[in-house]
Each structure stands twice: as C-alpha cells, then as structure tokens.
C-alpha cells in the first residue's frame, strides 16, 4: 500500500513539473487593448488584439476580401455599450457584442454579432448576427503598421468609431440621442419634483436650455434660482449675464458681468478663465 501511495505521489509531482515547464511567459505579438470611452452620454468599452503588418500585404492577402474577419487578432473584437445608440444609422441596443467584418476593396460589411464567446471567426454563425451594414472604404496616404480602433471627431451627440490598418480606414458614425436623454433628466430632476433642488442642478439645466436655445425665459429663471442658492459662484453669474446679452437685455447683462468679474478677481482658488470671459463680454457690451 505504501508503495502505491509513493508511486502516486511521484506521478503527481512529475505531472505538475511537466505543466510548470510547459508554461513559458512570452510577449504577445498582437497585444490586447481595452479602451473605455464616453461618446455623447453612452459609455463604450472596446477590446481587441492589435496585429502588425510585419512586411506583409494585409487586405486582399493576409485578410482575404469577401471572408468574415474577427476585426483584430486572437479572440474576436468586442464592444459593450450602456445605452442604445445608432452606428451608421443602425440601432444598437445597450449590451455586449462581437464586431466582425467582411473586408472588400471598396467597401466593408460590418457585422454586429450577439455571440461574444468565440475565438476569432471559428464557429461563427450568421444566425447570431444582430445586424449587418455596409461602409465605404477610405484610403490612407500614409501606411499604418498596427491595427487601430479608436473614437474621434466627438460632438455632443456622438462621434466616429474608426478602424484603420495598412492603407485602409473605416469610419462608423456613432449617434447618441443625448438631447432627448438630457431633456428627460431635467424633467425628472426639476420639472416634476417637489423636494428642494440643488444649485448645481438648476445651473446645469439652465446652461443646457441656454445652449439649445430652448425656452430661454425658463433658463433665466433657473439661473436666478442657482445664483440665489449659491451667490458666490461667479461662473453662475457670468452665464446669467451671457443669457441676458442673448435676450438683448444689455443693461442686465452689464450688471451681472461686472459683478462676475469682480468676484472672479477676488477668488482665492483662481478665476478658471472667467476674468477673460467677462472682459470679452464687457467689450461686446460697449456702446450697447
């Protein structure tokens, strides 16, 4: 019995040593990248492997035209969003997805896929596609060695998701209905509530209405509420002046901007650029 136990112990040690020896740490030739990016009011997470050209011809050769590609290296490229968005005018509900593509010489088919557990395109089944759409190819003058997937060209309601490699660039416009979400939040946090509202909430709502040119009289009322609750916030006072200027109430604008400038100059923590803002507005008010 002892000999059997001894044999098993030796076997366990041997197997363990084999497994240990087999595990060699080495650099990933297509390193993984995870990016987290706010686009409008939606939060994106994108994970993908970044292969390099390494002297190879990529599209039409290493990555054949007309075949499903993982849009990266190693595991399939994945992204998640916490709010509904549109990508190239296609509605994508909040959730997690794999990003596949079918490259072509002049256009790509982009595939939003519901199965995020595949390794590359192995086991891919188009029955699990959420949707497909086509995007034209933009040619790059400069060769890009490493696959890059980034967000750029941001605006209040979205930006562009850009895939680029070799001399090819694919631009996927992302739209988030930020205005609708913000109007809904203002309704829930100000218009429909009966409990006390904070100065910052009033100010954010007033600033949004002012920038969107929606019900400027109501924006004025909310600026006044914010200033009443936090009279030392000189940036609140400045925006009240800017709104008055927009409404052609130049006398009120001058009163508020003069007050804001004085407070900004006296601020122990800095003026945050409002001395310059106030000075510019006062220049515009000359002769009014």
């Amino acid at each position: 019995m002892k000999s059997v136990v001894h044999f098993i112990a030796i076997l366990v040690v041997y197997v363990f040593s084999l497994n240990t020896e087999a595990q060699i740490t080495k650099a990933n030739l297509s390193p993984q990248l995870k990016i987290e990016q706010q686009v409008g009011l939606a939060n994106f997470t994108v994970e993908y492997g970044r292969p390099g050209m390494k002297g190879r011809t990529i599209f039409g050769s290493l990555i054949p035209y007309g075949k499903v590609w993982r849009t990266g290296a190693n595991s399939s490229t994945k992204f998640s969003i916490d709010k509904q968005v549109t990508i190239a005018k296609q509605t994508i509900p909040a959730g997690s997805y794999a990003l596949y593509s079918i490259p072509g010489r002049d256009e790509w088919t982009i595939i939003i896929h519901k199965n995020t557990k595949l390794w590359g395109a192995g086991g891919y089944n188009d029955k699990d596609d959420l949707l497909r759409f086509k995007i034209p190819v933009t040619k790059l003058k400069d060769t890009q060695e490493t696959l890059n997937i980034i967000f750029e060209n941001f605006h209040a309601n979205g930006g562009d998701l850009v895939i680029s490699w070799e001399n090819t660039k694919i631009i996927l416009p992302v739209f988030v209905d930020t205005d609708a979400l913000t109007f809904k939040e203002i309704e829930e946090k100000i218009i429909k509530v009966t409990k006390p509202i904070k100065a910052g909430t009033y100010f954010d709502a007033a600033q949004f209405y002012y920038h969107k040119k929606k019900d400027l009289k109501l924006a004025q009322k909310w600026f006044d509420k914010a200033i009443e609750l936090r009279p030392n916030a000189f940036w609140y006072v400045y925006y009240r002046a800017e709104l008055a200027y927009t409404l052609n109430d130049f006398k009120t604008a001058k009163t508020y901007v003069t007050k804001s400038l004085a407070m900004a100059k006296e601020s122990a923590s800095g003026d945050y650029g409002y001395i310059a803002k106030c000075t510019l507005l006062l220049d515009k008010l000359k002769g009014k």
Side-chain angles (χ1 to χ4, degrees):
M1 181 67 179
K2 287 184 179 180
S3 61
V4 173
V5 172
H6 182 66
F7 173 76
I8 293 173
I10 292 174
L11 182 61
V12 168
V13 170
Y14 176 70
V15 171
F16 178 78
S17 65
L18 284 178
N19 288 337
T20 303
E21 290 174 1
Q23 295 174 351
I24 298 173
T25 303
K26 58 182 180 179
N28 191 335
L29 297 179
S30 300
Q32 288 291 118
L33 179 63
K34 178 179 180 179
I35 59 174
E36 296 178 350
Q37 179 68 62
Q38 185 179 42
V39 183
L41 288 179
N43 294 302
F44 274 80
T45 300
V46 180
E47 299 179 74
Y48 70 104
R50 303 190 68 199
M53 291 178 62
K54 302 181 179 67
R56 303 170 294 185
T57 299
I58 302 303
F59 296 112
S61 181
L62 180 68
I63 308 299
Y65 291 138
K67 292 188 177 181
V68 174
W69 178 45
R70 70 189 82 182
T71 323
N74 306 320
S75 179
S76 59
T77 293
K78 301 172 184 64
F79 73 94
S80 61
I81 42 176
D82 65 348
K83 291 179 177 64
Q84 177 175 292
V85 305
T86 65
I87 299 180
K89 300 182 179 180
Q90 306 295 317
T91 301
I92 315 293
S96 296
Y97 305 95
L99 178 62
Y100 288 96
S101 55
I102 302 176
R105 188 180 304 278
D106 300 314
E107 68 177 10
W108 284 22
T109 298
I110 301 297
I111 304 169
I112 309 299
H113 196 66
K114 292 180 287 186
N115 188 344
T116 61
K117 301 185 182 301
L118 299 179
W119 180 264
Y124 168 83
N125 189 330
D126 61 10
K127 292 182 179 179
D128 291 322
D129 291 349
L130 175 71
L131 52 85
R132 293 183 173 204
F133 53 90
K134 294 185 183 297
I135 292 290
V137 167
T138 299
K139 294 297 183 181
L140 296 172
K141 291 182 180 179
D142 297 325
T143 299
Q144 184 164 302
E145 170 65 27
T146 305
L147 173 68
N148 201 28
I149 302 177
I150 61 170
F151 290 94
E152 58 183 34
N153 300 324
F154 296 100
H155 51 84
N157 291 304
D160 291 334
L161 176 58
V162 177
I163 305 166
S164 56
W165 195 18
E166 196 178 35
N167 299 107
T168 294
K169 183 176 182 179
I170 301 297
I171 302 172
L172 307 175
V174 177
F175 176 78
V176 185
D177 197 349
T178 300
D179 288 358
L181 293 170
T182 304
F183 281 127
K184 182 179 179 181
E185 186 175 358
I186 289 171
E187 184 177 7
E188 292 172 349
K189 292 185 176 180
I190 295 183
I191 296 173
K192 288 185 175 181
V193 301
T194 55
K195 62 183 181 180
I197 298 168
K198 294 181 180 180
T201 305
Y202 275 126
F203 175 72
D204 288 344
Q207 191 180 45
F208 181 76
Y209 266 46
Y210 165 54
H211 285 148
K212 294 297 175 182
K213 295 180 172 56
K214 176 180 172 64
D215 199 342
L216 296 183
K217 290 294 184 181
L218 183 56
Q220 177 181 293
K221 177 182 176 181
W222 288 340
F223 275 134
D224 289 342
K225 288 280 190 181
I227 293 168
E228 179 184 340
L229 292 168
R230 195 176 175 187
N232 294 324
F234 54 83
W235 51 97
Y236 289 7
V237 179
Y238 169 79
Y239 273 100
R240 177 64 176 86
E242 210 177 72
L243 174 58
Y245 180 86
T246 301
L247 293 171
N248 296 321
D249 184 356
F250 303 126
K251 182 179 179 180
T252 300
K254 189 170 184 179
T255 299
Y256 276 101
V257 74
T258 301
K259 182 179 180 181
S260 177
L261 179 60
M263 288 193 293
K265 287 180 177 179
E266 294 173 0
S267 173
S269 59
D271 72 286
Y272 314 119
Y274 278 86
I275 290 176
K277 285 177 179 284
C278 290
T279 302
L280 288 171
L281 184 52
L282 282 169
D283 287 342
K284 290 168 67 175
L285 283 163
K286 287 179 180 178
K288 297 291 187 182

